Amino acid sequence: MKSKLAVVKIGGNVIEDKAELSRFLSLFAKMEGPKILVHGGGKKATQILKKLGMTPKMAGGRRITDAESLEVVTMVYGGLTNKTIVAQLQALACNAIGLSGADADAIRAHQRPVKEIDYGFAGDVDIVNVNSISNLLNSGFVPVFCALTHNGEGQLLNTNADTIASEIAIGMGHSFETTLYYCFEKKGVLLDMADDNSVIKTIDSKTYMEIREKDIISEGMLPKLENCFHALQKNVHKVCIGDISMIDSESKLFTTLTL
Amino acid sequence: MKSKLAVVKIGGNVIEDKAELSRFLSLFAKMEGPKILVHGGGKKATQILKKLGMTPKMAGGRRITDAESLEVVTMVYGGLTNKTIVAQLQALACNAIGLSGADADAIRAHQRPVKEIDYGFAGDVDIVNVNSISNLLNSGFVPVFCALTHNGEGQLLNTNADTIASEIAIGMGHSFETTLYYCFEKKGVLLDMADDNSVIKTIDSKTYMEIREKDIISEGMLPKLENCFHALQKNVHKVCIGDISMIDSESKLFTTLTL
């Protein structure tokens, strides 16, 4: 039987709120068994960019990472955010080790090819180094990944944190029974956007088809669900979507996705 | 018999010169056996501080690390410099893993007590986690340390890179036959500051006493030598001082210190 592994992703909404981050880290430190944290960047990178007199460039909601922006995201994601989280987890007796995809050659990617838009130093994941990450887990470390990868030729790349989390969960799925937790601001997938407690508790392939046909959930949620089912089809055991309370062992109100 | 371990420290003069850094990393990647790299910060942190509209504060040549400066050094040392070095080493098939002292609980320190001067978030090293670092070495990783430590209570601290290197060499000296390499801009300890090739090839406790009495070497070098002999007295096998060519296996012109 495979050991269990939790891959937990938090986004900007948690990182930017000190009290919320601290509450999340306490819950994360208490989670039993092997676990991996993946964090997004939040607005700090954009703030620093602006303070340094640069103009953040976006296209269709995605950051265009020119050389200057890459320097800033490397500083903020890989330095400030990552090390702050690691130091706080250590204070909670959780033996965290902060990583970019370059560290331990953990995640290789290639620069996104230029089509209509040149995203600059944005990376699409090629391979997760299961061996390296397993070595760290087996030594009792808790890997904490920021949203940076590398191309194996010395170039760091900016990579979407949701994608990093799902690629890690998929890669590690060969050796572990992997659960992927996406923490966001809602309690789960909602039936009624106006009612925060209208959480759909379980969604499987069949109910997912029904939901899509009946057009009952928000548009923004559909690509998220698509990514989740993509991960489930590629060997991830279970995907959970909810707010940070979801990782509390006593929590019951969140959405669980299975095939 | 103990295995050999090399602890190599590079400073700002190497980091700030792209060609020099790249030459150093090629040599470092080729070094055989277990090894650890420790890098200083260089002027980038001061540049970024100024660009962000802050004023770098110094006292007696040492940085005063207030909360704002700590954010910047965490970004620059822990993020930009560390990850850039790691990505370049990975491209040279050296399985680098970038660390602050908080990562893997590798180096604990305490905030320097306020006497005449309040150095802010400056840390003096308490303990090096030999077990954690050995685990990483045994997994085949090459630890790359930036000049940050933590106090175990969630606080990151700015710590002198020379000190981090010697404390790591001392700590690891219990399990390994450790050689500490200090790379700087000269070829070694010089007899005549005007002649770059007047390197004193070996210094032991006896010649060290003679050198001190005869007042033949530069003032700035004396505290460095004092630190080196401190490390030698605490279980470090050998200390080498020279420019980056020193770590080339064919190099012969540098200073070797032994007891």
Side-chain angles (χ1 to χ4, degrees), chain B residues 48-257:
Chain B
I48 300 273
L49 263 170
K50 285 183 182 163
K51 270 198 186 174
L52 290 173
M54 307 171 191
T55 313
K57 296 173 197 76
M58 308 288 283
R62 288 178 128 166
R63 185 188 295 281
I64 294 184
T65 314
D66 58 11
E68 280 182 330
S69 311
L70 183 70
E71 271 209 359
V72 173
V73 298
T74 305
M75 291 198 293
V76 175
Y77 301 170
L80 188 59
T81 310
N82 191 264
K83 298 312 161 202
T84 302
I85 289 175
V86 166
Q88 287 186 39
L89 283 174
Q90 287 291 348
L92 296 160
C94 171
N95 200 1
I97 186 164
L99 303 167
S100 72
D103 297 290
D105 196 18
I107 311 167
R108 288 214 189 187
H110 61 272
Q111 194 168 338
R112 188 170 303 151
V114 179
K115 289 179 187 167
E116 291 97 68
I117 298 162
D118 181 357
Y119 286 101
F121 296 105
D124 292 324
V125 175
D126 290 320
I127 192 157
V128 169
N129 193 330
V130 177
N131 195 28
S132 263
I133 298 173
S134 299
N135 271 340
L136 294 171
L137 292 170
N138 292 338
S139 296
F141 297 122
V142 176
V144 176
F145 281 95
C146 65
L148 292 168
T149 57
H150 77 136
N151 70 353
E153 290 162 19
Q155 183 63 57
L156 291 163
L157 295 165
N158 186 14
T159 297
N160 181 276
D162 280 4
T163 309
I164 287 187
S166 73
E167 292 290 345
I168 289 174
I170 290 167
M172 301 306 288
H174 297 286
S175 318
F176 291 86
E177 187 191 290
T178 306
T179 301
L180 176 56
Y181 295 88
Y182 280 118
C183 295
F184 77 142
E185 58 281 5
K186 301 281 178 190
K187 289 199 169 83
V189 181
L190 302 182
L191 254 179
D192 174 4
M193 280 300 280
D195 177 5
D196 268 355
N197 291 316
S198 66
V199 174
I200 310 176
K201 286 203 174 179
T202 56
I203 303 178
D204 61 15
S205 313
K206 197 170 149 252
T207 46
Y208 176 49
M209 293 304 280
E210 287 169 17
I211 284 170
R212 284 179 56 166
E213 278 164 23
K214 287 184 190 158
D215 204 20
I216 46 178
I217 57 162
S218 74
E219 238 179 72
M221 187 51 81
L222 279 178
K224 269 190 209 288
L225 291 183
E226 206 146 325
N227 286 337
C228 293
F229 276 96
H230 167 77
L232 289 169
Q233 275 148 7
K234 289 201 161 182
N235 229 0
V236 172
H237 178 64
K238 207 166 67 177
V239 183
C240 300
I241 302 183
D243 66 13
I244 61 169
S245 316
M246 156 177 70
I247 62 167
D248 186 338
S249 58
E250 292 182 12
S251 167
K252 288 187 181 88
L253 195 59
F254 56 88
T255 303
T256 301
L257 311 174

Side-chain angles (χ1 to χ4, degrees), chain A residues 35-69:
Chain A
K35 57 197 170 186
I36 293 171
L37 177 59
V38 180
H39 63 83
K43 292 181 193 130
K44 188 86 184 177
T46 305
Q47 283 166 11
I48 300 273
L49 263 169
K50 285 183 182 164
K51 270 196 184 174
L52 290 172
M54 307 171 190
T55 313
K57 297 173 196 75
M58 308 288 284
R62 288 177 129 164
R63 184 188 297 279
I64 294 183
T65 314
D66 57 12
E68 282 182 328
S69 312

Side-chain angles (χ1 to χ4, degrees), chain A residues 27 30-31 201 244-254:
Chain A
L27 291 172
K30 279 184 203 143
M31 282 180 95
K201 286 201 172 181
I244 61 169
S245 317
M246 158 176 71
I247 63 167
D248 186 338
S249 59
E250 291 183 11
S251 166
K252 289 187 180 87
L253 196 58
F254 55 87

Side-chain angles (χ1 to χ4, degrees), chain A residues 8-10 13-14 20 23-24 27 181-189 196-197 199 240-248 251 253-255:
Chain A
V8 184
K9 190 256 163 178
I10 49 167
N13 63 313
V14 180
E20 187 78 348
R23 214 184 117 221
F24 166 79
L27 291 172
Y181 295 87
Y182 279 119
C183 295
F184 77 141
E185 59 282 6
K186 300 283 178 188
K187 289 201 168 81
V189 181
D196 267 356
N197 290 315
V199 173
C240 300
I241 302 181
D243 65 15
I244 61 169
S245 317
M246 158 176 71
I247 63 167
D248 186 338
S251 166
L253 196 58
F254 55 87
T255 303

